[in-house]
Amino acid sequence: MVLQKYVTYLSRLNLVQLLSCMVTEGVVKRSNPIRVLRDNVVIYEGELESLRRFKDDVQDVRNGMECGIGVKNYNDVKVGDQIEVFEIVEVKREI
C-alpha cells in the first residue's frame, strides 16, 4: 500500500516519483512485474524502476517492511493505491 508520495527532480527534464510503501504480504522483488490498483481496479501494469530500503538499492523487500518504490513510465499513483507484485510462472504441460 502506498503510504506517501514524493516528487523529486534529477534534472530540469527528469521528474522522478518515489513512493513510500509498506509490504503487507509476501515479498517484493525488483525483477517481477507489477500492477497498480485503485479501488480494486487495475489502472496500470508495468515494472519497477527502483526498489530502495534506507537509501540502498535492494533486490527484494520482505513482509512487514517499508520501502521506496519507483514505478517505470507511470506518474499517476496516489496515496492509498495498492501495488501488486506478481510472478509469471510457466508450467510445462504433462501428457
Side-chain angles (χ1 to χ4, degrees):
M1 175 180 283
V2 178
L3 302 174
Q4 202 165 8
K5 176 171 130 176
Y6 302 96
V7 178
T8 59
Y9 293 92
L10 293 178
S11 68
R12 290 184 185 172
L13 300 176
N14 292 342
L15 173 70
V16 177
Q17 181 177 24
L18 300 175
L19 309 167
S20 173
C21 299
M22 170 69 84
V23 180
T24 57
E25 185 179 325
V27 178
V28 175
K29 292 185 181 177
R30 172 181 262 185
S31 59
N32 290 354
I34 65 164
R35 289 185 192 111
V36 178
L37 296 115
R38 186 173 297 147
D39 300 323
N40 291 326
V41 176
V42 176
I43 57 172
Y44 175 76
E45 284 195 34
E47 56 188 45
L48 291 177
E49 186 169 16
S50 65
L51 182 62
R52 294 182 174 249
R53 182 128 170 83
F54 298 117
K55 295 187 179 184
D56 296 326
D57 283 328
V58 293
Q59 292 301 313
D60 59 7
V61 178
R62 303 204 177 277
N63 186 17
M65 298 180 150
E66 289 188 13
C67 62
I69 289 179
V71 179
K72 194 172 198 176
N73 299 326
Y74 188 71
N75 290 324
D76 191 34
V77 180
K78 297 182 180 173
V79 174
D81 287 351
Q82 294 179 352
I83 298 176
E84 187 177 80
V85 181
F86 59 96
E87 188 172 9
I88 299 172
V89 178
E90 189 173 314
V91 178
K92 196 170 189 177
R93 193 169 100 177
E94 294 181 20
I95 298 178

